[in-house]
């Protein structure tokens, strides 16, 4: 499946923080929109992801999009039947990826022609949802057969269900929760931001033109990577071997383990492609996520949901544990809605929702076929 | 129960890192050693703890020792019957607490009369166990009725079972594991150390005489505090209220939540009492913990254990999850040993092993009375 990036622009977009600004985001589509425009599925991406959900740009691309095992002809999100759309988030961390189109602190301010930096307004998960709606409208889509996403993408999918309840027939929240839980907020968002701001190279956010706070971003990414994996996954990858060329850490104080060196390398490789301010803004936006915002509470939020909801948590997930999915499902059912939680069994932690996406294929296909609540 | 601190000195102590040095650690005792010297129970402390396990120094002390609900006349560790001992660890983080006696990087080198700093040798969990043995020997104790401890104290208790198998009748490992698991090693030890070393005030470890890297230590403590609590605990404490005096974080970019402000305050209050190098050394020592070190593996280590072993994990513990306790228990049983795991039900995470210690009273009393394997 060969795909290409498109650009969606709005000359004036109002964000929850009561400012307005010109924005542009990238998007990709897979399959064909039908004549009645009712076969569209929106797939929202996770924190480190982007609009390249599936397929390849060129036949010889090393890797396809991040949820490719689930999206394509004959797959769970069957592009022979559905018109699937992926959209870049605002403040996407992968600013330097030529295939990402986003607007955020690294964007040039139209008046000064210099990066916004910390003058950029805070954007929320709900802001992304509102922007996605404008994009869909521009494509002639007023109803979604489904909105789905893992992790922060699931935050958006669930926000869709309460922000535009009449537009969404089905919602799939994978490895996600209806609000940012405290451990996630403190460890991934609050401390990640602290680590970036502590790096002297952060320069109060005005590091553009220089290298930027690579050490701080690496630490923030390492924390996120650690908490989104699991003991079993790290053990299976590296066991307790010393790093290549390192003496035994137990007897030599300069020694370190392979899992330390490799997890650091993975974090640093990713950090080199990230913009530090985008990380901070995206993390804060994620931390503020709560579908009950603006309502009296979960009961009221659940009562507004008209869509059928499928939650797919992973049993070994530290950041969005199954209990959170079950709480939302119980709240929706208590209001007479249709919701179901199907825990996915794998010992590999949160990110198995991306790297072992195939485990979710059957429950997703069943849900889209209408079997889950038949 | 009024108690006092004692001091144990060794003019020359050999550590695993093949160096020797003079050491001193504090200890406390509760109850009376009997004539046959076979009623001693050693209780080892957690990362942020010390030898003040139970009782008060003065009748008007605000708080008793950290496991006081379990230790005293008529309690699970019954001091009418047992002689209970608590010992300060080497490199104890609470160097500035006048009730802590420890030896570590902040100690004055006997030749230069200046702090060792990073010239101090790395010490391990097993080094602490070997030092505790010397202390016990000085008290005339050659057998322990039990060795017990939570978290890092449990690391020591389990190391006792393999280092001096013939000396230990029973072992209790609470909220612990037979080795430092990868998430604990990466998040609490590796990243905690990184955060301290990134603080410009760290000065390569030679900050003595100045204020030290308080910001870095605060971040490291915040990470540890976050991971040793739970979503449920944070929610119950602060919900999603803005911090006192803060605007709503959702609509004001300077806003922050009460749980952020309060968890930061808790971390900073503790960081002010910590020595940064002691934190680094203690964290690295914890990270290197593995009872299988020096053996071909868990099977071999389990085969050396003669003690009865009781593991008390907490179901909501992110750092030492019940599965780790179950793995050790299965390994000991497979070698014909006696071991049992009793998961403790509370939603409050790892530190419930300290703050809700009473939940462990009954299984501990049963175990010491010989009922667990009757």
């Amino acid at each position: 499946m060969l795909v290409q990036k498109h650009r969606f622009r709005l000359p004036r977009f109002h964000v929850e923080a009561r400012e307005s600004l010109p924005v542009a985001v990238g998007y990709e589509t897979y399959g064909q929109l039908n004549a009645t425009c009712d076969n569209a599925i929106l797939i929202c991406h996770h924190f480190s992801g982007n609009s390249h959900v599936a397929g390849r740009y060129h036949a010889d691309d090393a890797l396809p999009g991040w949820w490719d095992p689930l999206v394509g002809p004959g797959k769970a999100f069957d592009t022979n039947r559905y018109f699937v759309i992926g959209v870049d988030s605002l403040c996407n961390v992968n600013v330097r990826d030529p295939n990402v189109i986003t607007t955020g602190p690294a964007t040039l301010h139209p008046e000064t022609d210099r990066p916004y930096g910390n003058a950029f307004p805070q954007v929320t998960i709900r802001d992304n949802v509102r922007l996605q709606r404008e994009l869909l409208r521009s494509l002639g889509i007023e109803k979604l057969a489904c909105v789905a996403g893992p992790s922060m993408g699931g935050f958006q999918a669930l926000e869709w269900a309460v922000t535009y309840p009449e537009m969404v027939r089905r919602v799939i929240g994978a490895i996600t929760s209806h609000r940012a839980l405290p451990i996630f907020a403190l460890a991934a968002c609050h401390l990640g931001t602290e680590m970036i701001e502590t790096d002297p190279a952060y320069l109060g956010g005005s590091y553009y033109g220089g290298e930027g706070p690579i050490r701080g971003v690496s630490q923030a990414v390492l924390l996120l990577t650690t908490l989104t994996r699991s003991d079993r996954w790290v053990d299976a990858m590296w066991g307790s071997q010393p790093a290549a060329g390192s003496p035994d850490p137990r007897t030599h104080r300069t020694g370190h383990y392979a899992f330390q060196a490799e997890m650091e390398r993975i974090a640093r490789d990713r950090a080199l492609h990230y913009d530090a301010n985008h990380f901070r803004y995206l993390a804060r936006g994620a931390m503020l996520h709560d579908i009950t915002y603006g309502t009296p509470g979960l009961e009221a939020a659940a009562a507004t949901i008209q869509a059928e909801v499928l939650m797919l948590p992973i049993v070994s997930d530290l950041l969005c544990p199954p209990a959170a999915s079950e709480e939302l499902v119980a709240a929706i059912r208590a209001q007479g809605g249709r919701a179901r939680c199907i825990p996915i069994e794998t010992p590999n932690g949160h990110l198995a929702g991306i790297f072992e996406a195939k485990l979710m294929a059957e429950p997703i296909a069943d849900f889209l076929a209408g079997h889950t609540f038949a």
Side-chain angles (χ1 to χ4, degrees), chain A:
Chain A
M1 192 165 70
L2 290 183
V3 300
Q4 54 183 328
K5 189 79 64 183
H6 307 282
R7 182 184 299 262
F8 174 67
R9 294 173 201 266
L10 270 188
R12 204 170 174 78
F13 178 64
H14 296 266
V15 297
E16 281 198 277
R18 293 177 207 139
E19 296 182 43
S20 68
L21 69 166
V23 297
V25 289
Y27 68 97
E28 298 185 10
T29 67
Y30 322 98
Q32 301 296 325
L33 187 62
N34 63 14
T36 46
C37 295
D38 62 2
N39 71 330
I41 293 182
L42 175 66
I43 296 185
C44 308
H45 67 76
H46 50 296
F47 189 85
S48 61
N50 60 54
S51 58
H52 191 35
V53 176
R56 286 171 160 84
Y57 300 119
H58 305 284
D60 57 354
D61 284 358
L63 292 172
W66 52 267
W67 243 12
D68 191 85
L70 296 177
V71 180
K75 296 182 184 175
F77 295 104
D78 186 351
T79 51
N80 289 331
R81 179 159 180 197
Y82 293 107
F83 178 63
V84 177
I85 308 147
V87 188
D88 288 321
S89 68
L90 294 166
C91 302
N92 192 291
V93 283
N94 304 286
V95 190
R96 294 170 204 171
D97 181 335
N99 288 312
V100 170
I101 303 169
T102 186
T103 307
T107 302
L108 300 183
H109 191 292
E111 282 166 24
T112 65
D113 217 31
R114 294 167 67 179
Y116 281 91
N118 286 330
F120 199 80
Q122 180 62 48
V123 296
T124 63
I125 296 294
R126 204 168 280 177
D127 285 327
N128 276 285
V129 166
R130 291 170 51 254
L131 180 58
Q132 288 158 3
R133 195 217 172 172
E134 296 303 317
L135 162 61
L136 295 176
R137 181 176 277 169
S138 79
L139 299 173
I141 298 164
E142 288 294 336
K143 293 252 181 194
L144 283 169
C146 182
V147 52
S151 195
M152 191 187 80
F155 287 5
Q156 293 164 61
L158 295 172
E159 288 276 359
W160 261 96
V162 294
T163 305
Y164 301 114
E166 72 295 342
M167 284 184 66
V168 189
R169 183 161 177 211
R170 294 194 170 96
V171 171
I172 300 171
I175 53 167
T176 197
S177 49
H178 66 273
R179 66 183 178 112
L181 295 169
I183 303 294
F184 170 81
L186 284 165
C189 306
H190 177 103
L191 267 169
T193 298
E194 276 281 308
M195 289 187 265
I196 289 169
E197 293 177 0
T198 302
D199 187 333
Y202 173 63
L203 300 173
S206 301
Y207 52 79
Y208 296 101
E211 204 180 30
I214 292 170
R215 182 175 182 177
V217 178
S218 296
Q219 289 175 2
V221 174
L222 177 54
L223 181 50
L224 205 50
T225 310
T226 295
L227 298 178
T228 52
R229 292 300 196 167
S230 73
D231 292 320
R232 287 279 210 98
W233 183 83
V234 175
D235 277 342
M237 290 292 283
W238 302 293
S240 37
Q241 296 305 308
S246 163
D248 185 346
R250 180 83 176 204
T251 47
H252 291 79
R253 74 179 80 180
T254 59
H256 52 288
Y257 292 111
F259 69 82
Q260 293 178 277
E262 292 301 312
M263 289 289 276
E264 274 209 311
R265 189 187 54 72
I266 291 168
R268 196 178 167 83
D269 283 356
R270 282 174 54 188
L272 289 172
H273 294 92
Y274 282 7
D275 178 78
N277 283 328
H278 279 232
F279 188 104
R280 290 170 57 251
Y281 273 73
L282 200 64
R284 185 171 165 93
M287 189 183 82
L288 298 174
H289 163 62
D290 188 342
I291 66 166
T292 74
Y293 188 77
T295 77
L298 184 55
E299 200 174 303
T304 68
I305 296 176
Q306 298 177 22
E308 293 181 354
V309 175
L310 174 65
M311 297 297 285
L312 298 173
I314 281 178
V315 294
S316 52
D317 188 342
L318 300 179
L319 290 181
C320 299
S325 288
E326 282 153 14
E327 187 189 358
L328 175 62
V329 165
I332 295 171
R333 284 187 179 169
Q335 300 300 316
R338 287 175 151 186
R340 186 158 170 211
C341 175
I342 303 181
I344 306 293
E345 297 282 342
T346 160
N348 295 325
H350 186 77
L351 281 184
I354 311 294
F355 296 119
E356 297 170 39
K358 264 216 138 152
L359 296 173
M360 299 174 170
E362 200 177 305
I364 290 173
D366 283 352
F367 182 62
L368 293 177
H371 297 158
T372 307
F373 297 102

